[in-house]
């Protein structure tokens, strides 16, 4: 295919340079956006009498046919074209003749590519939001199932305090809720139309940018034409939302990996989401979780990539900006693939209540409750804390737990201990007393589940 820019320049680019310059191998996936944008542009040109209604109708017809043919597979995208914009315009002109040559009036590929990318990201943001919601549903349903399953909560990966497995899962639901808020907010800034900014300076034609923006479902137009074609912060913002989401998925994946290890055995994944080993017959590996964790690195790379491409670019359009597409495509594809595998993986995972309870019983995770018991009986918290520390030390030496220590032994450490201490340190009670807002008690977790479900209703 020829070049759209054979004006003063001869267009005789050497093969290696031509290949290097070309973007069609990756921007071909913008064909739908490019055609939709061009249809709106032709309509606007006719609406302002810049081209005739007849020409506009020929363009719209021609473009509609091209879209149908690409979708049905009868028209193959010719990768010898420089980019998708070239391919569509050249194909249009080949099909409808001179009218096709009028399409590029009052626009440039600079505003065209920015438009296509914004349209693509609007759609991808909606797709991702839908997929996060599906994951949140899996997580909240699982949390509900295990809202009373006692386990140990960890700090420093050391057993810390008793919680419920449902409470832990709901922590991820809240992270994902914020991810949704971030993408929704980012959408507002993507939803601004750059078309009509032209190369950088606007145009002498009497265009109607608002009309074109409305036709394409944008909220408004870029108010500075130089900014409109130079700006890619919406790309960086989208990838940064993706990176934060991946970070959450990666932490969740890491916990699933710990929980499914033989050392923990808190969780078992369905066979549908695990693999085996080619040599060790006993293995059931949580590859999907590992891949989610690993792919997080890619998305971070995409973010670093786009920020680095943009850093130091003078205004307005520079060819460097062509590098935005592979990065943002990769980030969107990766995030969607991770969400797609994560939601059913969580929906099908089973927690082992017995193992979690056993782990919770062994690590003195009710020591805080023991200190609170003494504090409520009048001992200042700091000294209660110290006494309980000594009790834990004693238990370790004797091979006992707080539950198996006799009242006589307790009394050696403080007169304040009575028979009621056993109820206070009962793990289930420890959980259900934590009714403070956001706490681990079943009633509190139920409120959290209800809140998240309402937010997504
Ligand atoms: N393929 C180009 C890109 O992705 C399209 C814009 C070309 N503009 C130009 N002035 N050469 O950025």
């Amino acid at each position: 295919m020829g070049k759209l820019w054979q004006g003063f320049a001869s267009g005789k680019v050497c093969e290696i340079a031509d290949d290097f310059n070309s973007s069609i191998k990756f921007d071909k996936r913008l064909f739908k956006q490019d055609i939709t944008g061009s249809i709106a542009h032709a309509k606007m040109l006719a609406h302002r009498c810049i081209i005739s209604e007849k020409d506009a109708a020929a363009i719209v017809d021609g473009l509609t046919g091209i879209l149908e043919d690409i979708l049905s597979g009868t028209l193959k995208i010719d990768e010898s074209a420089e980019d998708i914009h070239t391919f569509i315009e050249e194909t249009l002109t080949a099909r409808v003749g001179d009218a096709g040559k009028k399409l590029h009036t009052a626009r440039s590929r600079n505003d065209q590519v920015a438009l296509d990318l914004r349209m693509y990201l609007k759609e991808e943001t909606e797709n991702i939001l839908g997929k996060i919601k599906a994951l949140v549903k899996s997580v909240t349903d699982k949390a509900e199932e295990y809202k009373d399953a006692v386990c140990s909560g960890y700090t420093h990966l050391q057993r810390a305090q008793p919680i419920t497995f449902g409470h832990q899962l709901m922590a991820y639901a809240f992270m994902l809720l914020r991810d949704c808020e971030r993408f929704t907010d980012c959408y507002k800034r993507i939803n601004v139309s750059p078309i009509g900014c032209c190369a950088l300076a606007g145009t002498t034609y009497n265009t109607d940018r608002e009309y074109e923006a409305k036709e394409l479902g944008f909220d408004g137009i870029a108010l500075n034409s130089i900014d409109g074609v130079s700006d890619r912060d919406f790309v960086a913002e989208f990838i940064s939302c993706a990176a934060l989401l991946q970070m959450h998925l990666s932490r969740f994946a890491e916990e699933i990996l710990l929980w499914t290890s033989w050392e923990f055995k808190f969780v078992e994944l369905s066979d549908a989401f695990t693999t085996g080993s080619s040599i060790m017959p006993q293995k059931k590996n949580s590859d999907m979780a590992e891949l989610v964790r690993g792919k997080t690195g890619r998305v971070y790379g995409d973010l670093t990539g786009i920020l680095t491409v943009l850093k130091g670019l003078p205004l307005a359009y520079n060819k460097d900006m062509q590098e935005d597409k592979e990065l943002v495509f990769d980030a969107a594809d990766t995030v969607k693939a991770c969400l797609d595998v994560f939601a059913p993986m969580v929906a099908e995972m089973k927690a082992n209540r017995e193992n979690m309870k056993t782990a919770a019983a062994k690590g003195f995770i009710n020591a805080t409750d023991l200190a609170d018991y003494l504090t409520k009986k009048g001992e200042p918290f700091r000294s209660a804390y110290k006494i309980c520390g000594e009790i834990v030390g004693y238990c370790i030496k004797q091979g006992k737990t707080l539950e198996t220590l006799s009242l006589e032994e307790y009394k050696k450490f403080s007169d304040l201990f009575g028979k009621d201490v056993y109820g206070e340190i009962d793990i289930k009670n420890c959980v259900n007393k934590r009714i403070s807002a956001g706490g681990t008690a079943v009633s509190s977790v139920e409120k959290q589940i209800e809140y998240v479900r309402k937010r997504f209703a």
Side-chain angles (χ1 to χ4, degrees):
M1 269 192 172
K3 297 280 178 278
L4 292 176
W5 43 266
Q6 257 161 288
F8 165 72
S10 70
K12 289 194 195 82
V13 180
C14 101
E15 216 181 299
I16 298 172
D18 200 35
D19 205 43
F20 188 65
N21 190 45
S22 155
S23 55
I24 193 148
K25 284 197 177 66
F26 48 86
D27 67 19
K28 65 179 176 192
R29 67 151 92 181
L30 295 175
F31 72 88
K32 202 178 70 196
Q33 288 80 3
D34 200 68
I35 291 171
T36 312
S38 289
I39 289 176
H41 190 64
K43 284 184 182 166
M44 185 281 293
L45 291 174
H47 156 76
R48 277 294 162 97
C49 304
I50 300 169
I51 63 171
S52 69
E53 288 288 351
K54 196 169 150 246
D55 282 337
I59 294 172
V60 172
D61 263 12
L63 288 171
T64 310
I66 293 174
L67 180 58
E68 282 167 8
D69 293 349
I70 296 176
L71 289 173
S72 70
T74 48
L75 175 63
K76 287 259 166 301
I77 295 176
D78 176 358
E79 294 195 1
S80 75
E82 182 178 315
D83 53 27
I84 191 62
H85 326 294
T86 306
F87 173 75
I88 305 282
E89 194 183 319
E90 299 268 285
T91 308
L92 177 69
T93 302
R95 287 187 177 196
V96 307
D98 278 352
K101 295 185 187 163
K102 297 181 184 173
L103 171 62
H104 211 54
T105 313
R107 79 170 183 190
S108 146
R109 273 187 301 164
N110 298 350
D111 52 347
Q112 190 181 350
V113 71
L115 175 73
D116 292 0
L117 200 53
R118 283 176 182 270
M119 287 166 69
Y120 161 82
L121 285 180
K122 277 173 64 173
E123 202 178 309
E124 286 300 50
T125 303
E126 277 167 2
N127 288 337
I128 290 170
L129 282 170
K131 288 176 193 299
I132 301 175
K133 282 176 196 169
L135 175 56
V136 170
K137 187 181 177 322
S138 296
V139 174
T140 42
D141 288 354
K142 222 12 73 168
E144 173 141 71
E145 191 180 337
Y146 293 109
K147 64 185 175 192
D148 58 349
V150 173
C151 64
S152 173
Y154 295 80
T155 61
H156 314 271
L157 210 52
Q158 304 286 334
R159 286 173 189 159
Q161 288 182 343
I163 57 167
T164 64
F165 191 53
H167 190 210
Q168 178 97 347
L169 288 174
M170 281 312 291
Y172 288 103
F174 280 96
M175 294 176 220
L176 294 165
L177 183 63
R178 289 194 297 280
D179 288 317
C180 277
E181 287 172 358
R182 259 186 289 274
F183 272 109
T184 306
D185 206 59
C186 172
Y187 187 92
K188 288 191 256 170
R189 283 173 289 281
I190 299 173
N191 199 11
V192 175
S193 168
I195 197 70
C197 291
C198 302
L200 76 164
T203 181
T204 54
Y205 293 99
N206 178 28
T207 51
D208 188 342
R209 291 190 54 206
E210 296 281 0
Y211 173 98
E212 209 168 334
K214 212 161 163 205
E215 190 74 21
L216 294 168
F218 281 95
D219 258 1
I221 60 168
L223 293 173
N224 177 300
S225 63
I226 301 173
D227 179 43
V229 289
S230 310
D231 163 36
R232 291 290 183 277
D233 56 16
F234 66 96
V235 176
E237 188 177 352
F238 175 91
I239 305 180
S240 99
C241 294
L244 283 175
L245 167 60
Q246 276 296 143
M247 178 270 289
H248 289 150
L249 294 182
S250 187
R251 292 185 76 172
F252 200 171
E254 170 62 19
E255 294 226 293
I256 289 176
L257 287 162
L258 284 173
W259 297 334
T260 53
S261 69
W262 279 83
E263 284 67 21
F264 278 77
K265 281 241 171 248
F266 286 1
V267 159
E268 190 173 354
L269 292 179
S270 139
D271 285 358
F273 295 93
T274 53
T275 64
S277 157
S278 57
I279 173 173
M280 299 166 281
Q282 85 284 10
K283 294 281 288 234
K284 183 168 174 180
N285 297 329
S286 311
D287 288 27
M288 310 310 137
E290 285 173 274
L291 276 170
V292 168
R293 190 177 59 183
K295 283 176 189 293
T296 302
R298 292 173 70 115
V299 179
Y300 288 5
D302 296 329
L303 179 59
T304 309
I306 187 67
L307 291 172
T308 314
V309 166
L310 295 177
K311 174 188 174 299
L313 277 192
L315 301 179
Y317 178 84
N318 300 272
K319 200 57 175 267
D320 314 47
M321 287 151 81
Q322 181 166 284
E323 291 295 311
D324 59 3
K325 275 170 259 351
E326 284 168 289
L327 298 171
V328 79
F329 292 161
D330 183 65
D333 291 345
T334 305
V335 159
K336 284 191 298 174
C338 291
L339 288 167
D340 277 345
V341 78
F342 225 102
M345 180 174 75
V346 169
E348 289 186 31
M349 78 184 188
K350 284 198 174 72
N352 187 321
R353 290 172 186 266
E354 245 352 271
N355 287 353
M356 290 196 298
K357 208 166 84 192
T358 311
K362 277 185 189 152
F364 299 101
I365 63 176
N366 43 3
T368 312
D369 297 86
L370 191 67
D372 286 342
Y373 169 87
L374 285 182
T375 307
K376 283 173 191 162
K377 296 230 160 176
E379 191 72 49
F381 180 76
R382 198 41 70 208
S383 7
Y385 169 93
K386 221 175 160 336
I387 294 166
C388 293
E390 283 159 15
I391 296 174
V392 168
Y394 172 84
C395 284
I396 292 171
K397 257 191 220 138
Q398 303 291 315
K400 292 190 169 178
T401 63
L402 297 180
E403 290 87 340
T404 55
L405 215 58
S406 70
L407 191 56
E408 289 68 54
E409 287 171 299
Y410 269 121
K411 285 223 184 270
K412 278 196 231 153
F413 293 92
S414 167
D415 284 341
L416 293 171
F417 281 116
K419 260 177 96 174
D420 54 349
V421 66
Y422 297 103
E424 285 297 298
I425 59 166
D426 175 81
I427 299 285
K428 249 202 143 69
N429 288 341
C430 296
V431 164
N432 278 318
K433 278 183 312 184
R434 286 187 162 75
I435 49 167
S436 56
T440 204
V442 176
S443 59
S444 164
V445 173
E446 277 167 349
K447 279 187 201 138
Q448 296 166 39
I449 294 171
E450 197 188 307
Y451 176 87
V452 170
R453 282 185 178 153
K454 257 203 197 124
R455 287 290 302 272
F456 280 106

